[in-house]
Amino acid sequence: MLSLIRSITPFFLLIPVSLFAQNTNWVHTKATESAFALVSGEKAATLVFEDSEHSVIEIAVKDLAKDVERVTDQRPRVQSSTEGIEGAVVLVGTVGQSAWIDALVEAEKIDLSKVEDQWETFLLQTVEAPLPGVDKGFVVIGSDRRGTAYGVYELSKAIGVSPWYWWADVTPGKAEALYLAGDTQIHGPPSVKYRGFFINDEDWKLHPWAMRTYDPELGDIGPKTYKRVFELMLRLKANTLWPAMHEVTKAFNIYPENKYLAERYAIVMGSSHAEPMLRNNVTEWTEPHADYNYVTNREGVREYWRQRVEENADFENIYTIGMRGIHDSGMVGADSDEQRIELLEQIFADQRAMIERYVDAPLEEVPQMFNPYKEVLDLYHGGLNVPDDVTIVWPNDNHGYIRYLPDETERARAGGSGIYYHISYLGAPFAYLWLYTTPPSLVWYEMNKAYDYGARDLWMLNVGDMKNSEIGTDLFLQMAWDIDRWNLDTLPDFLSQWAAREFGTEHADAIAGVMSDYFKWNHKRRPEHLQWYLPHGRFAQSPLSNDETRERLLAFEQMSEDAKELWEAVPEELQDAFFQLVYYPVRGSALANQRYFGIEQYHRFFNSNPPRARQFGALARAAEDELNAITAYYNSDLADGKWRH
């Protein structure tokens, strides 16, 4: 394609895997005197947890065993008791849940002063003689159930298993032996208490894929798919999910096993700004839409909410309070902002009374949130009084810029603040659902600013339907876990470190360079936003000069060539992952630009120079054909049911 662009330049003048890339300080493939042998020779350490632990601990430990096998081809034995243990052992437990933890504290072999009574915190450490008859062990100890699970998955990541190993086919490198250094590590508490993402606009990829491939017996996004979502969340140290909610998908709670699955994985369930009280109005409100009206049908709406609170009260939830219309529309029933404010304050009181009745905790300790999204922010500024213990989750403008941040008085509220942030959006006037193109620098700037202004209680990321959003999701959740990890000095290394983790160190800087250019050029104009006129409006030429157009297209084509060379250079087992995470977005956005500007130049020369117009038309058609071809490949499924686009 580059040759075609260059051939018509005059017209444009008119118009190998490196294991442990981020963990070399404490995971090694060679033995040292003080290191713990996770795998050595043909022996793997036994992984031990107590059967009294929460189910998420068992899930994490069994996943660790699979991860060790992915790297070494040896699967450790998993045991739910310390009895009869011999040889090397990894002990996994939660403060207050294991006798062996108490014994190690009493013997002064571990210090939990920075772990106990903390939120989602964990300790990693080698220990001499942790049990009778055991010379050396490695302990993973959490302050609570999620802290322990995060610690286990931290070990998985350290041995080279990407959080995206399944969702993006990132195959880990191989090693014959794994040794863990002895220095004590303490991770946590997290910078943001509740952290997660919103599966939104799942119509285009996630739902069709789950329906055909992973939950075909349901023909829907069902428990099998959510099991994979929950595992990914734990590997990314997320804890909160707003589930898929479009009409194509049945509501999360329609399948009773979903809420039990969330509890098994220790995931906190919530719901979006348009779905109060854990309800999915699009599929669960079966009465006429006009009856979802708190003025004319208060008792009907109250009973609808009450049922869900009663059903789910025993699980860990964040209750969204307030009310909007069905599926992201304005609230009905009031005729003025003054009436809407008065009505919302009554709704707050009624909803909180339900929570107080059914949830076995003081009302002020039950997590609740209010999201003044779109028109609701105007009501908040108009005087809406939000209960002090409710977290206000401030919205962005759907395109990466936060609309409002708390002032000094708001920062003093007991409920604190959070952020609802988009890296994918469906809505007028311009949606962007196809490729992830929000620069990491913009995500960092906006979320770092939000944190500095006190928004530290809940960060929620709209990821569309998950695929294509991997880089942005990673950065967002890394910041939510540790706000200090990325700063003005280290942020330029983010893409290199991401590439090293996914593809090894050999090509990491080159991959980062391609992706840096990708974000630079797509931020100027997203591939979904190339047109310079509103949808259904009159065609208008772009304001770019001919030189600017040519520069843009040549930059994208050079990116494509570089990405293709790297795709061929990475190890074969990583080429599927590279296609998904790098080549497809780079080449896809390049082709989108070639298609659009080819059509634009076709219109420009249609009357004055038909031969030139036809050349540009051919460029656009060729780009369209290639885009269709690589998208078909991206959307192909592997026979074993693994996610692969």
Side-chain angles (χ1 to χ4, degrees), residues 146-181:
R146 279 190 294 273
T148 306
Y150 294 151
V152 176
Y153 287 115
E154 183 71 16
L155 181 52
S156 285
K157 185 172 66 174
I159 67 172
V161 179
S162 167
W164 301 94
Y165 81 95
W166 189 85
W167 284 91
D169 300 318
V170 182
T171 304
K174 291 293 185 180
E176 293 182 355
L178 296 172
Y179 297 91
L180 311 180

Side-chain angles (χ1 to χ4, degrees), residues 183-203:
D183 294 342
T184 300
Q185 299 181 55
I186 296 175
H187 298 248
S191 299
V192 178
K193 187 172 184 178
Y194 294 105
R195 317 162 301 283
F197 52 78
F198 177 22
I199 300 175
N200 194 210
D201 310 321
E202 70 276 12
D203 315 44

Side-chain angles (χ1 to χ4, degrees), residues 245 383 399 452 497:
M245 47 75 73
H399 296 273
D452 287 345
Q497 290 194 23

